[in-house]
Amino acid sequence: MSQQELFIATQGRGAVDITNQVNKCLANSKAQLCHVFVAHTSASLMITGNEDADLLLDIEDYFQNQVADADPSYRHCGEGDFDMSGHIRSILTGESKTIPMTNGALALGKFQSLYLYEHRAVDNTRKLIITEL
Amino acid sequence: MSQQELFIATQGRGAVDITNQVNKCLANSKAQLCHVFVAHTSASLMITGNEDADLLLDIEDYFQNQVADADPSYRHCGEGDFDMSGHIRSILTGESKTIPMTNGALALGKFQSLYLYEHRAVDNTRKLIITEL
Amino acid sequence: MSQQELFIATQGRGAVDITNQVNKCLANSKAQLCHVFVAHTSASLMITGNEDADLLLDIEDYFQNQVADADPSYRHCGEGDFDMSGHIRSILTGESKTIPMTNGALALGKFQSLYLYEHRAVDNTRKLIITEL
């Protein structure tokens, strides 16, 4: 078992495919599982389809409709319109993923990719902790 | 640690209790954790109650109300009315579960079962990857 | 790898920070990952921010708005107004978390805590299974 950190730069709200970056961390590994953890509460991880960029747009629309930005009823709003909505979106999608590995790479399905989902409107550097086992 | 594939036939949209099928894969194992992963983006895993079949009907109603099928605003709809809603439902429920094991079986709570949730209206064969550790 | 049970008393609906109680179970451990599992279908686990108590109030409001209590369309309602909504809230947040460890403690981000989210209105004792690996 081994553990490493991976830092990902995000450029505003949206999902970024990090499959290749995670696979680079796993090269030559003989592990069978990879655990990826985001050490933040307004960014999350998501596995979904990678064949059509429209899919990510529809997902973003879904969350915008279901989790209001700048809801006047929010008490926690010190960091702006995307503050509380970012936390809720992170809870719904989740801060970690565990993924099977084969031959030193994520054994994702043919159409699956791993995405880091940035929920804030600002640029960030997000810290991920990657554990192979 | 060992890894195997399990293929589950689904018959249209709905949740299928796969606890027994997963336990068969784990027989005689001395592992303490089982990781189950669905290698698809329109089927997911869910742990919920197994005492009352109505519970699954209410869950299905919930997702139908919260995640519109055939929403005219969806861009990604090439595979039909359940295309985009299937992806969103998969994201909300999640493609993997990690479950404690005791004596070669899932150590679920008394009322918990593990379900494969098929979100498409067609029959499918879904590939799961089961890792014991 | 080792496994232990942790029992948490809950006092009605709401999220309880259990980070310290889980860390006590992990003291002196050299493990790199901790898996926490709730053996129930109406309580769940959540990782979110710990700096502002308002955040938990806004999360609770969100789930009350999105997952109706006592919806007359629910078939499964034998245990009262919070019966079916508790199951759905548990599905959306999830019954387990896997978290990196460093030096015998959860390696959560600076603002992250681990919460047990009780979805029922009554007092309960909830059984958690903690596996270090």
Side-chain angles (χ1 to χ4, degrees):
Chain A
M1 195 177 325
S2 71
Q3 204 163 71
Q4 59 190 300
E5 296 180 351
L6 173 64
F7 292 88
I8 305 278
T10 59
Q11 299 177 302
R13 183 179 268 187
V16 183
D17 189 335
I18 61 168
T19 312
N20 289 341
Q21 285 166 92
V22 172
N23 276 337
K24 276 182 196 161
C25 297
L26 306 175
N28 303 315
S29 168
K30 294 178 179 172
Q32 290 193 290
L33 281 180
C34 175
H35 177 256
V36 186
F37 182 85
V38 180
H40 305 274
T41 62
S42 56
S44 59
L45 293 173
M46 176 172 73
I47 291 176
T48 193
N50 54 24
E51 279 207 306
D52 175 8
D54 281 347
L55 199 145
L56 296 181
L57 300 177
D58 287 344
I59 291 168
E60 177 57 30
D61 279 358
Y62 175 79
F63 283 113
Q64 286 191 21
N65 288 330
Q66 292 291 318
V67 186
D69 294 317
D71 189 317
S73 75
Y74 290 145
R75 301 164 187 84
H76 178 87
C77 52
E79 294 184 60
D81 291 353
F82 290 5
D83 187 347
M84 195 60 221
S85 52
H87 295 305
I88 296 171
R89 291 157 64 120
S90 293
I91 291 165
L92 294 175
T93 42
E95 74 297 317
S96 84
K97 292 288 177 192
T98 306
I99 302 168
M101 289 175 58
T102 307
N103 299 326
L106 300 175
L108 290 162
K110 187 177 176 186
F111 303 120
Q112 290 178 312
S113 276
L114 174 64
Y115 295 88
L116 174 65
Y117 208 157
E118 171 63 61
H119 300 297
R120 289 280 169 89
V122 294
D123 295 356
N124 267 315
T125 298
R126 298 303 197 168
K127 175 182 161 183
L128 280 62
I129 301 174
I130 297 178
T131 310
E132 303 163 43
L133 67 165
Chain B
M1 196 178 324
S2 72
Q3 204 163 71
Q4 60 191 299
E5 295 180 352
L6 173 65
F7 292 88
I8 305 277
T10 59
Q11 300 179 301
R13 183 179 268 188
V16 183
D17 189 335
I18 60 168
T19 311
N20 289 340
Q21 285 166 92
V22 173
N23 276 336
K24 276 182 197 161
C25 297
L26 306 176
N28 303 315
S29 168
K30 293 179 179 171
Q32 291 193 289
L33 281 179
C34 175
H35 178 255
V36 186
F37 181 85
V38 180
H40 306 274
T41 62
S42 56
S44 59
L45 294 173
M46 175 172 74
I47 291 176
T48 192
N50 54 23
E51 277 208 306
D52 175 8
D54 281 347
L55 198 145
L56 296 180
L57 299 177
D58 287 344
I59 292 168
E60 177 58 30
D61 279 358
Y62 175 79
F63 283 113
Q64 286 191 23
N65 288 331
Q66 292 292 317
V67 185
D69 295 316
D71 189 318
S73 75
Y74 289 145
R75 300 163 187 87
H76 178 86
C77 52
E79 293 184 61
D81 290 354
F82 290 5
D83 188 346
M84 195 59 221
S85 52
H87 295 306
I88 296 171
R89 290 157 63 119
S90 293
I91 292 165
L92 294 175
T93 42
E95 74 297 317
S96 85
K97 291 289 177 191
T98 306
I99 303 168
M101 288 175 60
T102 307
N103 299 325
L106 300 175
L108 291 162
K110 187 177 176 187
F111 302 119
Q112 290 178 312
S113 277
L114 174 64
Y115 295 88
L116 175 64
Y117 208 156
E118 171 64 61
H119 300 297
R120 288 280 168 89
V122 295
D123 295 355
N124 267 314
T125 298
R126 299 302 198 169
K127 176 182 160 183
L128 279 62
I129 303 175
I130 297 179
T131 309
E132 302 163 43
L133 68 164
Chain C
M1 195 178 322
S2 72
Q3 206 163 69
Q4 59 189 300
E5 296 180 350
L6 173 64
F7 292 88
I8 305 278
T10 59
Q11 299 178 302
R13 182 178 268 185
V16 182
D17 189 335
I18 60 168
T19 311
N20 289 340
Q21 285 167 91
V22 172
N23 276 337
K24 277 181 195 161
C25 297
L26 306 175
N28 302 315
S29 168
K30 292 178 178 171
Q32 291 193 291
L33 281 180
C34 175
H35 177 256
V36 186
F37 181 84
V38 181
H40 305 274
T41 62
S42 54
S44 59
L45 294 173
M46 175 172 74
I47 291 176
T48 192
N50 54 22
E51 277 208 307
D52 174 7
D54 281 346
L55 197 145
L56 296 180
L57 300 177
D58 287 345
I59 292 168
E60 177 57 31
D61 278 357
Y62 174 80
F63 282 112
Q64 286 191 22
N65 288 331
Q66 292 291 316
V67 185
D69 295 316
D71 189 317
S73 75
Y74 290 144
R75 302 163 187 85
H76 178 87
C77 52
E79 294 184 60
D81 290 354
F82 290 5
D83 187 347
M84 194 60 220
S85 52
H87 295 306
I88 296 171
R89 290 157 63 120
S90 292
I91 291 165
L92 295 175
T93 42
E95 73 297 316
S96 84
K97 292 289 176 188
T98 307
I99 303 168
M101 288 175 60
T102 307
N103 298 326
L106 300 175
L108 291 161
K110 187 177 176 185
F111 302 119
Q112 289 178 311
S113 277
L114 174 63
Y115 295 88
L116 174 64
Y117 207 156
E118 171 63 61
H119 299 297
R120 288 280 168 89
V122 294
D123 295 355
N124 268 314
T125 299
R126 299 301 197 169
K127 176 182 160 183
L128 279 62
I129 301 174
I130 297 178
T131 310
E132 303 163 44
L133 66 165

